[in-house]
Amino acid sequence: PAAPTVVLSLSTFRFSELVATWQRLLDAVDGLDLRVIATLGPAVTIGEVRVPRGIEVHEWMPHDELFPEASLVVGHGGHGTTLAALAHGVPVLTLPLEPTSDQPRIGRAVARAGVGATMSRRTEPATIRRAIRRTLADGPTRVRAQRLGDAIRAMDGPGRAADVLELSAAAAR
């Protein structure tokens, strides 16, 4: 895209700190010279958070419409959003919402792979803002995310899944 585009997409499940995390994230992007798209999901209504001017807000949008234009996806480290972003070759910043789930592990894997970063859901907006700027400016992170996206797309996940299902169905007969 002509201008950097940051997609904010936290969970569709209402974790205990979801609204507070959304507010910290929205405060972090306030005033940044970026296109920011926030997908609140069904768990948060627009009246529960203060949305800074200039941020495009949706309840939901398909990842396939958002991620091809994205420069960075900020999410909670859930499988769906994280894998979809990486499959599109987009770096990820995770703010895991549930410490006892796999979200922190996914965030650490993103950081270890060098395709993004992870931080606490309680991180202050100024620190989140710095992480967004740093990740957007980090050429090697973008390159690694693009390479990982190429590798994920080359795996033909749907075709392999269909093969496994067919084998399972044949074995069950």
Side-chain angles (χ1 to χ4, degrees):
T5 300
V6 175
V7 175
L8 312 177
S9 184
L10 297 178
S11 182
T12 57
F13 180 79
R14 192 169 179 112
F15 288 101
S16 64
E17 293 195 36
L18 180 62
V19 173
T21 304
W22 260 117
Q23 194 59 65
R24 280 190 287 280
L25 187 51
L26 291 166
D27 291 345
V29 296
D30 188 10
L32 287 177
D33 189 22
L34 307 166
R35 179 179 182 212
V36 178
I37 303 169
T39 59
L40 293 179
V44 175
T45 62
I46 195 147
E48 293 180 272
V49 290
R50 187 182 67 270
V51 179
R53 190 178 149 149
I55 294 179
E56 187 180 325
V57 178
H58 301 274
E59 180 179 333
W60 179 84
M61 281 191 74
H63 290 154
D64 286 345
E65 289 180 24
L66 286 173
F67 294 168
E69 296 297 315
S71 307
L72 173 66
V73 172
V74 181
H76 66 294
H79 285 100
T81 301
T82 304
L83 188 56
L86 293 172
H88 281 87
V90 180
V92 178
L93 172 61
T94 67
L95 301 162
L97 292 167
E98 176 51 54
T100 62
S101 73
D102 58 351
Q103 297 165 15
R105 194 169 342 132
I106 291 170
R108 288 190 301 272
V110 163
R112 268 194 318 273
V115 295
T118 188
M119 55 185 38
S120 167
R121 67 187 184 274
R122 295 185 180 129
T123 301
E124 291 299 317
T127 304
I128 297 170
R129 176 188 293 258
R130 284 191 298 275
I132 288 170
R133 284 182 170 152
R134 186 173 47 250
T135 305
L136 287 171
D138 188 351
T141 295
R142 280 196 316 277
V143 168
R144 284 188 295 271
Q146 289 166 353
R147 287 184 183 150
L148 180 57
D150 292 342
I152 291 169
R153 290 188 305 278
M155 288 180 173
D156 184 28
R160 291 175 67 187
D163 291 343
V164 168
L165 289 172
E166 288 176 0
L167 287 171
S168 296
R173 291 186 211 144

